[in-house]
């Protein structure tokens, strides 16, 4: 087993994550940890150059920042294990983490095992002066039960002011709290959209057109030999988002089975984020993903992102589109063309209320016909979004 951890300026979080790996019940001689420091400027190298854990450990330092995809690719090329676990620097795991990933791969030859289903948590292990306003407001009710916070701060505003004056992080979780599991007092559920997908489609996500959204490189495992078929992470994705989903999509195209590791427990240590920068990078990379593969399902995921449809509804709408295409191969051609244009505009984050004008009569006729048939309710519902003057892109 090889655990590949890219990192950039997360030395405090990484120290806790590496310590949690020291506590693994899996035989320490049977796994290695590879940290790729992607040009950190926070002194990460000083902490790690003399680090001597009880497991084989390698620290690779990039002179300059090359990005998540390139760092993970370097880890893949250096890895000696048969099974590779991708783990983010801020992910803290429980003692049986490696054993549980390994057990899935013992049973399945072509498995993608995602560790972010059902029992994925957030953790305020370290409070940062550069947390945004929402993070301070969110963290206070969670951490105020801890003695250090309860005795000193009566509100999130007081905590925020203290940290900004202090100008350095306040650490709430250390080795001792990992040893006795008291760190969970600063944790909260962070399962997002994934939990209800398992209840709907099962742990193998059968009938779900987008199982590759479970390929979240903060906690996912595959066999190393799979990269000979699927290829490496696409290094043209820069900044935040979609380099992992795009690789997961290629696993999907090659027939791999996606498995929700419901019993794998992990904790995401919260850290400062810049929502504006992340949003711009996210949109750019989503468009790159769509243009690379031209799969309309990729574009439709924007409907979830902007809060108009959930994943079950989007899945049903795509299912209905495929059924319409098969049921009527030579009919409703205008409607199908409109669906394609609609998806392209979604991926491009462009207004979608004005590009149907040349098809208005034919489209409305098709739309009324399909609505009357009643066999494609979610597809019809999605296409009616074109009538909105502006979508929140």
């Amino acid at each position: 087993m090889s655990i590949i951890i890219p990192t950039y300026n997360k030395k405090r979080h990484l120290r806790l994550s590496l310590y949690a790996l020291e506590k693994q019940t899996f035989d320490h001689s049977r796994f290695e940890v590879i940290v790729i420091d992607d040009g950190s400027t926070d002194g990460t190298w000083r902490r790690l150059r003399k680090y001597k854990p009880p497991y084989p450990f390698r620290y690779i330092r990039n002179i300059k920042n090359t990005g998540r995809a390139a760092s993970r690719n370097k880890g893949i090329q250096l890895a000696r294990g048969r099974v590779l676990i991708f783990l983010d620097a801020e992910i803290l795991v429980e003692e049986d983490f490696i054993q549980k990933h390994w057990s899935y791969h013992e049973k399945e030859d072509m498995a993608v095992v995602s560790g972010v289903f059902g029992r994925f948590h957030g953790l305020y292990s370290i409070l940062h002066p550069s947390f945004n306003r929402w993070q301070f407001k969110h963290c206070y009710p969670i951490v105020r039960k801890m003695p250090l916070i309860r005795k000193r701060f009566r509100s999130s505003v007081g905590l925020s002011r203290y940290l900004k004056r202090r100008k350095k992080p306040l650490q709430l979780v250390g080795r001792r709290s990992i040893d006795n599991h008291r760190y969970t007092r600063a944790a909260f559920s962070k399962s997002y959209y994934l939990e209800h997908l398992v209840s709907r489609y099962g742990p193998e996500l059968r009938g779900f057109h987008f199982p590759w959204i479970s390929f979240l490189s903060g906690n996912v495992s595959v066999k190393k030999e799979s990269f000979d078929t699927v290829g490496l992470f696409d290094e043209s994705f820069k900044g935040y988002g979609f380099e992992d989903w795009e690789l997961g999509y290629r696993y999907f195209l090659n027939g791999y089975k996606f498995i929700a590791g419901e019993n794998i427990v992990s904790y995401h240590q919260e850290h400062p984020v810049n929502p504006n920068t992340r949003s711009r990078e996210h949109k750019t990379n989503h468009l790159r993903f769509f243009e690379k593969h031209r799969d309309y399902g990729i574009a439709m995921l924007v409907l979830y992102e902007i809060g108009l449809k959930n994943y079950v509804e989007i899945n049903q709408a795509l299912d209905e589109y495929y059924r319409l295409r098969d049921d009527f191969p030579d009919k409703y051609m205008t409607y199908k063309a409109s669906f394609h244009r609609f998806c392209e505009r979604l991926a491009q984050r462009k207004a979608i209320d004005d590009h149907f004008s040349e098809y208005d009569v034919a489209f409305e006729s098709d739309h009324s016909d399909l609505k009357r048939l009643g066999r494609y309710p979610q597809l019809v519902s999605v296409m009616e979004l074109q009538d909105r003057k502006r979508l929140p892109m």
Side-chain angles (χ1 to χ4, degrees):
M1 299 282 285
S2 296
I3 294 87
I4 297 171
I5 305 176
T7 187
Y8 179 70
N9 287 347
K10 291 192 175 77
K11 65 179 181 182
R12 294 174 182 268
H13 300 101
L14 178 60
R15 181 172 59 177
L16 296 175
S17 299
L18 291 174
Y19 182 67
L21 292 173
E22 293 183 26
K23 314 295 289 184
Q24 292 299 296
T25 57
F26 197 79
D27 184 346
H28 287 191
S29 68
R30 296 180 58 204
F31 74 89
E32 64 175 352
V33 175
I34 304 171
V35 171
I36 300 91
D37 180 357
D38 196 19
S40 294
T41 58
D42 66 348
T44 296
W45 69 276
R46 292 190 187 93
R47 289 184 178 270
L48 295 186
R49 62 180 175 172
K50 296 181 179 180
Y51 179 55
K52 302 292 183 185
Y55 47 74
F57 175 77
R58 282 184 283 173
Y59 170 66
I60 311 300
R61 186 184 182 195
N62 296 339
I63 300 302
K64 63 178 182 178
N65 185 273
T66 60
R68 295 171 174 84
S71 293
R72 292 192 183 103
N73 286 342
K74 183 176 288 188
I76 293 166
Q77 292 158 354
L78 293 171
R80 302 187 186 106
R82 286 176 49 221
V83 175
L84 311 186
I85 301 176
F86 295 99
L87 196 65
D88 278 351
E90 66 272 21
I91 302 296
L92 192 151
V93 300
E94 293 197 341
E95 291 93 335
D96 55 3
F97 170 78
I98 296 177
Q99 180 61 56
K100 286 180 175 176
H101 268 282
W102 173 256
S103 65
Y104 284 109
H105 290 284
E106 280 191 305
K107 300 170 187 174
E108 295 284 348
D109 285 333
M110 296 178 64
V112 174
V113 181
S114 176
V116 293
F117 280 87
R119 302 183 71 187
F120 182 53
H121 307 274
L123 177 67
Y124 285 108
S125 58
I126 300 165
L127 304 183
H128 293 262
S130 50
F131 272 172
N132 60 46
R133 185 180 299 177
W134 182 91
Q135 287 176 308
F136 276 118
K137 188 175 181 180
H138 180 258
C139 81
Y140 181 74
I142 297 166
V143 302
R144 69 180 175 184
K145 56 193 172 186
M146 303 181 77
L148 178 65
I149 303 299
R150 185 175 64 246
K151 293 177 182 179
R152 300 181 63 180
F153 307 104
R154 295 184 178 181
S155 70
S156 62
V157 174
L159 177 60
S160 170
R161 287 174 178 169
Y162 168 78
L163 285 169
K164 292 184 186 302
R165 287 196 305 268
R166 174 186 167 96
K167 296 182 180 179
K168 62 181 181 178
L170 178 64
Q171 186 156 338
L172 302 181
V173 172
R175 291 189 173 203
R176 184 177 297 178
S177 55
I178 291 175
D179 290 341
N180 59 28
H181 288 266
R182 290 184 179 176
Y183 66 89
T184 57
R185 294 182 300 177
F188 60 97
S189 178
K190 200 171 186 176
S191 297
Y192 296 128
Y193 51 84
L194 299 172
E195 196 169 345
H196 80 279
L197 293 181
V198 174
S199 64
R200 175 79 180 222
Y201 302 106
E204 296 180 8
L205 303 178
R206 296 183 183 275
F208 186 55
H209 291 293
F210 316 98
W212 40 266
I213 69 172
S214 68
F215 196 100
L216 295 169
S217 52
N219 184 351
V220 68
S221 63
V222 294
K223 287 184 176 173
K224 183 175 181 179
E225 63 185 15
S226 65
F227 290 98
D228 295 334
T229 302
V230 175
L232 299 172
F233 285 91
D234 184 341
E235 297 181 17
S236 68
F237 286 81
K238 303 298 183 183
Y240 176 77
F242 291 105
E243 84 285 347
D244 47 3
W245 279 13
E246 192 277 327
L247 179 58
Y249 182 79
R250 283 183 270 137
Y251 273 98
F252 172 67
L253 294 180
N254 280 276
Y256 278 76
K257 180 185 290 187
F258 287 77
I259 299 173
E262 297 175 272
N263 60 348
I264 299 174
V265 183
S266 60
Y267 297 82
H268 177 270
Q269 300 178 72
E270 301 301 300
H271 53 81
V273 295
N274 184 326
N276 294 329
T277 300
R278 179 169 285 195
S279 177
R280 288 194 301 270
E281 294 171 347
H282 182 87
K283 292 175 181 178
T284 299
N285 283 342
H286 185 210
L287 179 58
R288 182 184 300 277
F289 183 16
F290 172 72
E291 290 180 339
K292 180 175 180 178
H293 295 285
R294 306 300 297 182
D295 182 325
Y296 294 109
I298 295 171
M300 290 180 72
L301 295 182
V302 173
L303 296 174
Y304 172 84
E305 185 181 324
I306 61 179
L308 294 180
K309 294 289 180 181
N310 62 42
Y311 279 122
V312 173
E313 293 168 335
I314 294 170
N315 192 69
Q316 185 178 337
L318 189 60
D319 215 25
E320 291 172 1
Y321 169 74
Y322 291 146
R323 196 164 68 243
L324 172 68
R325 192 179 59 185
D326 294 340
D327 291 347
F328 302 99
D330 301 315
K331 194 176 179 182
Y332 302 117
M333 304 307 289
T334 297
Y335 203 81
K336 295 170 193 173
S338 296
F339 174 79
H340 297 165
R341 291 190 174 204
F342 175 81
C343 289
E344 288 182 359
R345 301 287 272 197
L346 280 176
Q348 296 164 356
R349 315 290 172 126
K350 292 182 178 179
I352 59 173
D353 61 302
D354 61 351
H355 77 283
F356 289 93
S357 55
E358 61 190 284
Y359 297 114
D360 275 351
V361 175
F363 173 83
E364 289 300 335
S365 176
D366 286 352
H367 189 71
S368 297
D369 199 10
L370 292 172
K371 197 170 184 178
R372 189 165 49 251
L373 280 175
R375 290 163 55 184
Y376 314 97
Q378 277 299 336
L379 177 61
V380 167
S381 174
V382 164
M383 294 303 287
E384 286 177 346
L385 293 174
Q386 67 173 295
D387 291 331
R388 298 177 64 138
K389 294 300 181 185
R390 184 180 298 274
L391 293 182
M393 297 299 201

